[in-house]
Amino acid sequence: MMKKQTILIVGSEKGLGLGLTEAWLEKGWEVFATHLPDADVSPLLALAEAYPDSLTTGEIDVTDSSYIGPLVARLSTRRFDIIFMVAGIYGPLHQSVLQASDAEFQQIMMTNAFGPARLARHLLPMLKPAGTLVFMSSHRGSIAGNTEPGIGLELYRASKAALNMLARCIYMDLSQGEHTVLCIHPGWAVTAMGTLDGAVEAEIDVKTSVNGMVDVIALHRNDKKHLFLDFENNTWPW
């Protein structure tokens, strides 16, 4: 019997993370899915019942270093084909450098950039020699792609641009090997974050985003490059 392929998904309790967890389970993969310590994990528990031998869950808050050691210890004997850092937030609705408090800026940068990159570095020993590290980025993190006057989104853009750079730093440290690093834009999907809890309309449903990302990752996971792609396999400028 062929050994199952394995993926670690960080930030799986809702939205795109939950959708990705279900998609890879449906493909027959073994999934380790993390969630926030205080999250409602009933959707994950339902998936665990449906796929009892394929889904394991664990706690992590990427902004809190005290959770890293226990998670790494749990995973120490595991080796993953893919590690996908999904965790992220939109940040304050105003998205303004002028209005943002120190705490607001710290939270979005910790959650979207520093936290995922720090955890990813701790998890690198669990990534197989030719494995793929994926970061949930956004086209809003493209500096060259910021050509829309008046859109703003300063804080979110800054956090995703920082994430892309930290991902590149990881790739450069790995680039003598066989690894691939992907920064992926999921599209504007109908999630609590994507619709700002129902305040705005998104462009695509979760399934379209998830299926697109799964296909794009499958297409590029052996490229041995650092790529900035979207769910439709378009390449974005840095």
Side-chain angles (χ1 to χ4, degrees), residues 8-9 19 37 44 66 80 98 120 126 133 156 180-181 197 199 225 234:
L8 168 61
I9 303 176
L44 277 177
S66 69
F80 297 98
L98 285 174
M126 293 91 193
L133 177 62
Y156 187 72
T180 298
V181 178
D197 290 322
K225 297 175 183 176
N234 299 304

Side-chain angles (χ1 to χ4, degrees), residues 25 37 40 61 103 175 188 220 227:
L25 287 169
D40 172 13
D61 179 343
S175 60
W188 190 3
H220 292 283
L227 302 172

Side-chain angles (χ1 to χ4, degrees), residues 65-158:
S65 61
S66 69
Y67 287 96
I68 296 174
L71 181 66
V72 168
R74 272 194 74 187
L75 297 175
S76 61
T77 60
R78 292 175 179 252
R79 296 296 177 266
F80 297 98
D81 295 282
I82 299 173
I83 295 176
F84 197 155
M85 311 299 294
V86 176
I89 59 171
Y90 178 77
L93 288 177
H94 59 71
Q95 284 293 313
S96 166
V97 165
L98 285 174
Q99 294 182 51
S101 66
D102 294 354
E104 285 174 331
F105 187 71
Q106 182 181 21
Q107 183 189 34
I108 195 169
M109 294 301 286
M110 282 290 293
T111 308
N112 288 2
F114 178 73
R118 174 177 61 182
L119 179 59
R121 284 190 174 272
H122 281 281
L123 295 173
L124 288 178
M126 293 91 193
L127 189 62
K128 289 181 180 178
T132 298
L133 177 62
V134 187
F135 291 93
M136 188 74 83
S137 187
S138 168
H139 68 312
R140 302 296 188 192
S142 168
I143 293 173
N146 183 3
T147 57
E148 305 162 286
I151 295 290
L153 299 174
E154 291 177 297
L155 306 184
Y156 187 72
R157 286 185 193 275

Side-chain angles (χ1 to χ4, degrees), residues 169-214:
C169 292
I170 292 172
Y171 172 73
M172 294 311 299
D173 287 345
L174 293 173
S175 60
Q176 303 308 307
E178 302 288 303
H179 294 94
T180 298
V181 178
L182 303 176
C183 291
I184 194 160
H185 166 52
W188 190 3
V190 181
T191 63
M193 180 172 151
T195 64
L196 303 180
D197 290 322
V200 295
E201 284 189 23
E203 293 176 342
I204 56 172
D205 60 23
V206 168
K207 202 166 186 63
T208 301
S209 173
V210 163
N211 290 343
M213 287 190 285
V214 170

